[in-house]
Amino acid sequence: MCEGCVREEYPDRGTLCLENGCYMMNFAGCQECRDRSTPKIVNKKSDDINGEEMITFQHVCSKCNHLIGEHEHIFKVSGEYQLYEMSCILCGTGEDQRSIMPYDPRGPQMNNDFID
Ligand SMILES: [Zn+2]
Ligand SMILES: [Zn+2]
Ligand SMILES: [Zn+2]
């Protein structure tokens, strides 16, 4: 991790969770070579750990390959919700929750489709 290349470490991004790209607004430029073009994404991988999907990659300077930060994106299902988490020194931290249901169920309803 490198504090020298970012304006703010781990900025709060609310419910924004990205599994790709980079937060250019927070990129101050490479500390090593002063390059300010979009950092490269390298070593991207996704792991499945106990039903949690974890995507990780590294932001590196596109000129000198200086390591700017490691990006973590976690996706998991908890009950009726899908949970997303992001943690990255450059892109910041975020947390989001979405219902798995295509609509909000309004309590118990008679629905013949569910009777076999
Ligand atoms: Zn740096
Ligand atoms: Zn550089
Ligand atoms: Zn990131």
Side-chain angles (χ1 to χ4, degrees), residues 20-23 57 59 69-72 86-92:
N20 225 325
C22 110
Y23 187 29
F57 59 81
H59 297 287
E70 271 179 58
H71 188 109
E72 248 179 54
M86 172 176 80
S87 173
C88 176
I89 193 169
L90 175 65
C91 306

Side-chain angles (χ1 to χ4, degrees), residues 5-116:
C5 297
V6 298
R7 295 180 198 279
E8 192 187 342
E9 293 168 48
Y10 298 97
D12 187 1
R13 306 294 303 280
T15 57
L16 193 69
C17 294
L18 304 170
E19 52 181 275
N20 225 325
C22 110
Y23 187 29
M24 282 306 284
M25 291 277 289
N26 194 34
F27 184 48
C30 175
Q31 192 182 241
E32 300 292 318
C33 72
R34 296 278 142 214
D35 188 63
R36 299 189 66 178
S37 52
T38 310
K40 281 189 297 192
I41 286 174
V42 296
N43 296 328
K44 187 168 183 181
K45 55 178 185 237
S46 75
D47 287 312
D48 231 308
I49 310 155
N50 299 327
E52 278 188 28
E53 190 190 272
M54 176 137 129
I55 294 169
T56 53
F57 59 81
Q58 295 172 327
H59 297 287
V60 299
C61 173
S62 61
K63 279 225 174 103
C64 72
N65 284 319
H66 166 67
L67 177 63
I68 296 156
E70 271 179 58
H71 188 109
E72 248 179 54
H73 180 274
I74 294 168
F75 166 74
K76 61 187 168 199
V77 174
S78 166
E80 291 178 353
Y81 289 93
Q82 296 175 319
L83 306 175
Y84 298 82
E85 272 173 50
M86 172 176 80
S87 173
C88 176
I89 193 169
L90 175 65
C91 306
T93 58
E95 229 180 81
D96 199 10
Q97 224 184 48
R98 281 172 226 170
S99 176
I100 290 172
M101 303 290 179
Y103 58 91
D104 273 328
R106 290 175 214 151
Q109 283 173 1
M110 290 298 286
N111 191 337
N112 292 326
D113 291 347
F114 290 135
I115 298 166
D116 205 352

